[in-house]
Amino acid sequence: MTAGDKSTATATVVPLPGARLGRDPERAIKRGPRRIPAEAVAATQRDRLYDGLVHTVAEKGYGNARVSDICQAAGVTRPAFYALFEGKDDAFLATYRHGISVVLDMMEQAYRDAGQWRDGAREALRVLLEVLASVPAFATMALVEIDAVGPAARREQDRVLRRFDRFFADAPTPADCPDLGELVAGVVGGIYAVLQRHIAAGRVRQLPELLPGLTYFMTVPYLGPEQAGREAARAGEPIGAAIAAPCRQPGADHA
């Protein structure tokens, strides 16, 4: 299990989809005299399919990824796939929801640990950038290939972006701001657009380098240019080992 030196993981470690290989031998369902409960088998198959889907979609693109390809990458049969998901769209959305929840849990822990808002918001953003950089396949699947899935994915994407509003609940109230909700939506949407552009260009590994600039963009409406500049400078200071997705497995971090 790979983790950064910072205490950002929750008590129960939940792997990010794509952080492991779907055909990881350690997760093979071993046959023997002891009967494995059906729910345990289904949970293992679901996790392997999450990983298989992330790697397949990142490699082939959503449109070219077939259910058989996902099953092959996961080491799971087609009947088992259809026992868990209605189809490729359903599997993609389930993987997306699960993965975003893992990232958000890590961000929330960093936010709480930091104390005041400006530190918490910066550290939550650091977690987002470093975790996505540690699993390029998930970053590609969740922020780029989602656009190929269709209307249901766009609705899910909108709901996910609203979940990031929580990181601005404790922000100072800007003077003369006519609509705080729209301000937050603009900041979150702007950060998302920058990340999506870099990931689509194959610059996933470089996402952590965006932290100073995005910290300035995120804080300037609330703190003003001078203080936002100081926060951006602090964001550029090295503070130890990078944060990696929980249970990141060597060989499973390619896009």
Side-chain angles (χ1 to χ4, degrees), residues 35-250:
R35 185 175 180 83
I36 302 172
E39 57 270 21
V41 172
T44 297
Q45 291 175 330
R46 183 182 295 107
D47 282 346
R48 290 170 61 176
L49 285 165
Y50 285 160
D51 293 322
L53 183 143
V54 167
H55 288 291
T56 301
V57 169
E59 179 185 353
K60 296 176 176 289
Y62 182 77
N64 295 323
R66 302 172 300 178
V67 168
S68 58
D69 298 325
I70 296 167
C71 291
Q72 174 67 23
V76 174
T77 66
R78 283 176 65 93
F81 176 94
Y82 283 106
L84 293 166
F85 306 112
E86 293 179 2
K88 188 172 73 167
D89 288 8
D90 184 44
F92 184 101
L93 292 175
T95 305
Y96 176 75
R97 291 187 198 102
H98 177 68
I100 292 296
S101 292
V102 171
V103 175
L104 278 168
D105 284 347
M106 296 183 71
M107 292 176 67
E108 287 179 347
Q109 186 65 53
Y111 183 80
R112 289 193 299 268
D113 288 348
Q116 58 184 335
W117 174 75
R118 63 190 184 190
D119 295 331
R122 181 188 64 248
E123 292 311 306
L125 180 58
R126 186 191 305 276
V127 168
L128 175 64
L129 298 176
E130 293 185 358
V131 168
L132 290 179
S134 76
V135 187
F138 178 78
T140 301
M141 169 262 183
L143 275 81
V144 176
E145 290 301 323
I146 190 171
D147 287 347
V149 181
R154 287 192 289 274
R155 291 192 295 271
E156 188 63 34
Q157 187 180 57
D158 288 342
R159 284 193 288 269
V160 161
L161 290 179
R162 295 285 64 79
R163 294 176 66 184
F164 286 88
D165 291 359
R166 68 190 71 180
F167 299 109
F168 296 87
D170 301 319
T173 302
D176 305 319
C177 179
D179 192 325
L180 283 173
E182 288 302 318
L183 173 61
V184 172
V187 172
V188 171
I191 292 172
Y192 184 89
V194 171
L195 300 189
Q196 189 179 52
R197 177 164 52 87
H198 275 70
I199 295 166
R203 299 198 296 271
V204 188
R205 300 290 191 188
Q206 288 72 48
L207 289 181
E209 299 172 8
L210 301 175
L211 183 61
L214 290 180
T215 296
Y216 182 89
F217 174 74
M218 176 177 64
T219 58
V220 69
Y222 302 94
L223 303 178
E226 185 176 344
Q227 183 62 46
R230 287 195 289 268
E231 295 303 319
R234 292 181 64 191
E237 296 172 357
I239 60 172
I243 303 162
C247 299
R248 186 165 60 98
Q249 190 178 53

